[in-house]
Amino acid sequence: MEIHAEAYNRPIGIFDSGIGGLTVLKALKDKLPHESFIYFGDLAHSPYGTKSKKMVRAYARTITRFLLAQEVKLIVIACNTASASAAQEVRRMAYPVPVLEVVEYGVEAALQIIGQADQTNHRVGVLGTPTTVSSEVYVEQLRIKAKERDIALEIQQAACPLFAPLAEEGLWQGEIPKLIAAMYLHDMHAFAPDVVILGCTHYPLLREVIAEQLPESTKLVDSASLIAERAKQLLEDKKLLRLTPEPGSIDIYSSDSEDTFRRMATRFLDMTVDIVHYVELDAWEESEG
Amino acid sequence: MEIHAEAYNRPIGIFDSGIGGLTVLKALKDKLPHESFIYFGDLAHSPYGTKSKKMVRAYARTITRFLLAQEVKLIVIACNTASASAAQEVRRMAYPVPVLEVVEYGVEAALQIIGQADQTNHRVGVLGTPTTVSSEVYVEQLRIKAKERDIALEIQQAACPLFAPLAEEGLWQGEIPKLIAAMYLHDMHAFAPDVVILGCTHYPLLREVIAEQLPESTKLVDSASLIAERAKQLLEDKKLLRLTPEPGSIDIYSSDSEDTFRRMATRFLDMTVDIVHYVELDAWEESEG
């Protein structure tokens, strides 16, 4: 403990394109109530899901630079599009600060369920933004891990570009999200997957309407609770857990106006968002050369 | 003519947050087939409609700097959110290059229709993005111009944040946009407006479903054809019309990847988009101090 006398008091950094990652923040806060969190929502560039991989990478680099300057002890990429596009770069920049990203734990959550089943052949569905789906990162990671465990997998993806705007509008239930889910999930229903990965941090908010459009036997998984477990384990292993009786703080930073964020976050989460700090992201961009 | 021997050959610059402004480009191209156009779609920051006024202003300044460096003879702000947030700043920066913006011609189109009616009291509806609606710029301009013409107006606005994502998804017709339109336009229907301004360049693509949710007597207007007329008049007055038998060129620039733009533009417009140039927008940002 003495060695890390300063480090363990440092905050955990989390980032997302906007408010979707608050679902991951909530899971982390539940599991690690004594930790302090710095959450960065890149509302100035939101949504990431229709931006190019190159662009999302540039945004992720800038935010990583900002979080490292806040001396975070762990970075959680709480956005599937950013994880799919920029995880390796963020890891390289942040080293030796550890980095967790949602794609890995979405994959892990799916394989845990499959591991309990008796079948020999398994079908996994992946729902994501256009950029996440076209990156094929879920397909790739599922294949690698399934091979390691000698599991035979069939995989089908579906891009659901309107899910994130719907979630941000608070349209989580009712006829409109139901019809949109039916449109996106028609082929997925026919595929009859054993597990479907909710591959965007907004999608857990639409869990009910998504479940309605899939066979009853299909299980839905997301990365939030596994990534929170893994974060706890990792901090324990590195002796970086904050050991104090008081609850930690949550500081929310946004690259667009605080008002926008507060309005959206209040609608979004069962968590009061009082103080949102505005950050001019340009100041954290890499300099030329 | 001799005085402007160079200037009249210069292109017209148009910008939008993304692809919505292509509806304005199309109207301009129809009216001014011999002109050359430079269209800038700020896909890296799209959509503007949920970003803060401050942020949209910063984007507009950067794009204006880019267009002026291309030696445009006229700038058309083909985005209502940018017009609502940044028109004055763009005008000041561009001077003496003239600037046309869509809000003014949306207002003008509405008042032309009202001017033909026999009533003494008129109701105008405005549909726009959250940022446009909260800027109240339509309300303000409608009041000023109505007062000048001694017309009594009642005005009601409705923010329709999902319309732009729907339009970009190509969901222009059918049950989904119909239900979303019904949700947003419920109060507007009760208001029974004489005219409704489609205050976002995406909305003309949803014209049919919007019309279905309003009284039959309600007329829908947008700024595209009036702004094209005004552009022609302005270039004539300034002797800046390109007088040549050949059709002009269209060059499309995007702050995100060409692929994204081409994919969206092809879906969006009855116009082939072959060449899209990628522009790193950061290079055109204002320097410190």
Side-chain angles (χ1 to χ4, degrees), chain A residues 72-196:
Chain A
V72 295
K73 62 184 174 186
L74 165 67
I75 291 178
V76 177
I77 310 179
C79 167
N80 285 266
T81 306
S83 297
S85 309
Q88 293 193 9
E89 245 173 304
V90 172
R91 277 217 174 83
R92 188 179 47 70
M93 286 177 69
Y95 185 85
V97 172
V99 174
L100 299 177
E101 49 89 11
V102 282
V103 172
E104 183 177 351
Y105 296 95
V107 166
E108 194 51 48
L111 291 179
Q112 281 189 3
I113 284 185
I114 279 174
Q116 293 157 8
D118 277 341
Q119 303 150 259
T120 51
N121 199 19
H122 305 271
R123 284 184 300 282
V124 178
V126 177
L127 311 184
T129 64
T131 303
T132 297
V133 163
S134 71
S135 78
E136 301 238 313
V137 66
Y138 270 105
V139 177
E140 216 171 282
Q141 289 203 22
L142 280 166
R143 289 212 190 290
I144 292 171
K145 292 210 178 167
K147 205 173 172 189
E148 285 170 8
R149 300 173 203 192
D150 217 14
I151 298 173
L153 280 192
E154 277 182 76
I155 304 168
Q156 183 161 308
Q157 298 194 103
C160 310
L162 284 171
F163 277 178
L166 276 179
E168 297 202 349
E169 273 303 289
L171 281 175
W172 307 343
Q173 288 178 318
E175 200 58 17
I176 292 169
K178 188 178 158 181
L179 283 173
I180 292 176
M183 171 179 74
Y184 288 143
L185 302 179
H186 181 265
D187 292 353
M188 192 59 84
H189 187 281
F191 179 61
D194 303 301
V195 191
V196 160

Side-chain angles (χ1 to χ4, degrees), chain A residues 43-44 46 51-52 59 161 256, chain B residues 43-44 46 51-52 59 169 256:
Chain A
L43 280 185
S46 172
K51 306 290 192 298
S52 68
Y59 300 149
D256 199 355
Chain B
L43 279 186
S46 173
K51 306 290 192 298
S52 69
Y59 300 149
E169 272 303 288
D256 199 356

Side-chain angles (χ1 to χ4, degrees), chain A residues 43-47 50-52 54-55 59 161-162 169 171 175-176 179-180 183 255-256 260 278 282 285, chain B residues 43-47 50-52 54-55 59 161-162 169 171 175-176 179-180 255-256 260 278 282 285:
Chain A
L43 280 185
H45 301 117
S46 172
T50 49
K51 306 290 192 298
S52 68
K54 179 182 162 182
M55 216 72 208
Y59 300 149
L162 284 171
E169 273 303 289
L171 281 175
E175 200 58 17
I176 292 169
L179 283 173
I180 292 176
M183 171 179 74
S255 55
D256 199 355
T260 313
Y278 170 68
D282 290 359
E285 272 176 16
Chain B
L43 279 186
H45 301 117
S46 173
T50 48
K51 306 290 192 298
S52 69
K54 179 183 163 183
M55 216 73 209
Y59 300 149
L162 284 170
E169 272 303 288
L171 280 175
E175 199 58 17
I176 292 168
L179 283 174
I180 292 176
S255 55
D256 199 356
T260 312
Y278 170 68
D282 290 357
E285 272 176 15

Side-chain angles (χ1 to χ4, degrees), chain B residues 19-81:
Chain B
I19 57 171
L22 292 171
T23 58
V24 178
L25 171 62
K26 192 162 176 359
L28 284 162
K29 178 73 186 163
D30 288 349
K31 183 74 76 182
L32 296 160
H34 301 295
E35 296 297 328
S36 293
F37 296 93
I38 290 185
Y39 180 94
F40 189 96
D42 192 9
L43 279 186
H45 301 117
S46 173
Y48 281 1
T50 48
K51 306 290 192 298
S52 69
K53 204 167 165 175
K54 179 183 163 183
M55 216 73 209
V56 173
R57 259 192 212 141
Y59 300 149
R61 283 197 300 271
T62 305
I63 297 166
T64 302
R65 217 166 285 120
F66 169 77
L67 289 175
L68 292 172
Q70 317 308 311
E71 303 206 313
V72 295
K73 62 184 174 186
L74 166 67
I75 290 179
V76 178
I77 311 179
C79 167
N80 285 265
T81 306

Side-chain angles (χ1 to χ4, degrees), chain A residues 24-76:
Chain A
V24 178
L25 171 61
K26 193 164 174 0
L28 284 162
K29 178 72 186 164
D30 287 349
K31 184 74 77 183
L32 296 160
H34 301 295
E35 296 297 328
S36 293
F37 295 93
I38 289 184
Y39 181 94
F40 189 96
D42 193 9
L43 280 185
H45 301 117
S46 172
Y48 282 0
T50 49
K51 306 290 192 298
S52 68
K53 203 168 165 174
K54 179 182 162 182
M55 216 72 208
V56 173
R57 259 192 213 141
Y59 300 149
R61 283 197 300 271
T62 305
I63 296 165
T64 302
R65 217 167 285 120
F66 169 78
L67 289 176
L68 292 173
Q70 315 311 309
E71 304 207 311
V72 295
K73 62 184 174 186
L74 165 67
I75 291 178
V76 177

Side-chain angles (χ1 to χ4, degrees), chain B residues 78-265:
Chain B
C79 167
N80 285 265
T81 306
S83 296
S85 309
Q88 293 194 8
E89 244 173 305
V90 172
R91 277 217 174 82
R92 187 179 47 70
M93 285 176 69
Y95 185 85
V97 173
V99 174
L100 299 177
E101 48 89 10
V102 283
V103 172
E104 182 177 351
Y105 296 95
V107 166
E108 193 51 46
L111 291 178
Q112 281 189 1
I113 285 185
I114 279 175
Q116 294 158 7
D118 277 341
Q119 304 152 257
T120 51
N121 199 20
H122 305 271
R123 285 184 300 280
V124 178
V126 178
L127 311 183
T129 64
T131 303
T132 297
V133 163
S134 70
S135 79
E136 300 240 311
V137 66
Y138 271 104
V139 177
E140 216 172 284
Q141 290 203 23
L142 279 165
R143 290 211 190 290
I144 292 170
K145 292 209 177 168
K147 203 173 174 189
E148 284 170 8
R149 299 172 203 192
D150 216 14
I151 297 173
L153 280 192
E154 277 181 76
I155 305 168
Q156 183 161 309
Q157 298 194 103
C160 310
L162 284 170
F163 277 179
L166 275 178
E168 297 202 349
E169 272 303 288
L171 280 175
W172 307 343
Q173 286 178 321
E175 199 58 17
I176 292 168
K178 190 178 157 181
L179 283 174
I180 292 176
M183 170 179 74
Y184 289 143
L185 302 178
H186 181 265
D187 293 353
M188 190 60 85
H189 187 282
F191 179 61
D194 303 300
V195 191
V196 159
I197 300 173
L198 302 176
C200 170
T201 47
H202 285 90
Y203 297 180
L205 297 164
L206 296 164
R207 186 184 289 267
E208 279 181 43
V209 292
I210 292 171
E212 271 174 33
Q213 300 303 324
L214 294 170
E216 259 190 61
S217 58
T218 300
K219 293 194 173 61
L220 302 186
V221 297
D222 65 74
S223 54
S225 79
L226 266 194
I227 209 168
E229 265 176 44
R230 178 68 189 119
K232 189 177 179 185
Q233 188 62 52
L234 192 147
L235 294 179
E236 265 171 18
D237 292 350
K238 293 190 180 275
K239 304 215 182 326
L240 283 173
L241 274 180
R242 190 160 173 263
L243 302 166
T244 156
E246 306 100 52
S249 59
I250 295 182
D251 282 282
I252 299 201
Y253 291 81
S254 165
S255 55
D256 199 356
S257 79
E258 307 83 334
D259 282 352
T260 312
F261 202 97
R262 207 180 291 118
R263 195 182 67 227
M264 294 174 108

